[in-house]
Amino acid sequence: MTHVRPLAAAAAALTLTMASHIAAAAESGEPQIASYALDIEAKVLSDRRTNGLSDTYLSPGAELTFNVAHESGMVGFLQLGNVAKESFPDGGTTAVGAIGYRWGNPSGWHFGVGGVLEAFPRAKVKDAPRNPLESADTVNTRFDTTFGIFEFGYGIIEGRYLLVASKDFRGNNTSVVCGSAAMTAMAEGDATLSKAMDCYGRGTHHSRGSQLIQLEARIPVASNTKVLTHIGYTAVNNFSFLNTVDYKFGVIHNRWGFEFEADVVGGLMRDSYYAKTVNEDGDVKRIDRMGLILSVAKRF
């Protein structure tokens, strides 16, 4: 956890502190402290997606998630998971931490505000040129991203709005975005590198101020089954061709103490060329393509 920045560390500390209070009360024979609620979930998936895009290069993934809430309204969140080096060079893991405050009626209107850090330990792009004609002018990029978040909902309908506060949103800047387009062109045999040259020709940009909005609902259809619907939109500041509509439609079924889920998930990027990702063998995959994702989760 030494690679996780302060916001995620604070979320982890909040989670562990509350958990230790609960454990201490249980060991002492005192009634369990009802003012705290801790939920731990372990999950394996056939593909890990964020905003419709695969973080695992369309391969299986795993997550461990901690949710903690206090009766005052303070909440903490920490999720650990894996990512692919094709999308996050030199990386392989991610930690998402959040702290915030929620209020309102769970069965009526309810709201929340907070801060989020998405960290990618060791993941980086080194010495990428700002302009291919000036190879000495390079930049190093990390993928860590901080957000402000506002949550809202009514009953089973949940929504969230996120605003990127860090310099880049998941590493999206001119060097990384245009460099990725150049790698795709070379892998596909496009000697003109036309997409990459057009991208570099726009000048140097970062993606602070990017915005995300998401709406979803889990609709009960039986005592142990729900239908999940989700729609989202990502607007990448200064890179509108990366703007993406994402969707998820699926079924969640609880049995034998496990949660089984099957979802149709995908994204519609404004320019799908930039959804192509190249691996070390020169193979190209579109990480926004629609797919059926299966998962199994266990709560503790």
Side-chain angles (χ1 to χ4, degrees), residues 127 142 173 177 219 224 282:
D127 301 324
R142 299 191 67 89
N173 57 39
V177 173
I219 306 166
N224 58 356

Side-chain angles (χ1 to χ4, degrees), residues 140-159:
N140 296 328
T141 300
R142 299 191 67 89
F143 295 86
D144 299 350
T145 307
T146 54
F147 309 82
I149 184 171
F150 172 65
E151 298 180 331
F152 56 96
Y154 186 85
I156 63 172
I157 300 173
E158 301 288 345

Side-chain angles (χ1 to χ4, degrees), residues 17-161:
T17 299
M18 290 187 178
S20 66
H21 279 296
I22 295 171
E27 290 176 1
S28 66
E30 298 176 3
Q32 186 169 340
I33 301 173
S35 58
Y36 300 107
L38 174 64
D39 179 58
I40 304 174
E41 180 187 82
K43 189 174 188 178
V44 292
L45 312 91
S46 59
D47 183 7
R48 286 192 73 232
R49 299 265 183 142
T50 301
N51 309 321
L53 308 181
S54 177
D55 284 343
T56 52
Y57 203 58
L58 306 178
S59 297
E63 300 172 348
L64 180 62
T65 305
F66 301 84
N67 275 292
V68 63
H70 186 264
E71 64 180 5
S72 66
M74 292 298 298
V75 293
F77 172 91
L78 177 67
Q79 183 178 83
L80 309 176
N82 67 307
V83 295
K85 292 184 178 181
E86 287 83 358
S87 297
F88 303 95
D90 294 335
T93 60
T94 181
V96 181
I99 54 176
Y101 178 76
R102 288 176 178 155
W103 72 95
N105 181 355
S107 60
W109 284 106
H110 45 274
F111 304 92
V113 293
V116 181
L117 167 67
E118 186 176 32
F120 299 90
R122 297 182 298 276
K124 60 186 178 300
V125 174
K126 293 184 64 176
D127 301 324
R130 299 178 192 272
N131 185 320
L133 301 180
E134 300 177 14
S135 58
D137 183 13
T138 63
V139 63
N140 296 328
T141 300
R142 299 191 67 89
F143 295 86
D144 299 350
T145 307
T146 54
F147 309 82
I149 184 171
F150 172 65
E151 298 180 331
F152 56 96
Y154 186 85
I156 63 172
I157 300 173
E158 301 288 345
R160 62 193 62 88
Y161 167 80

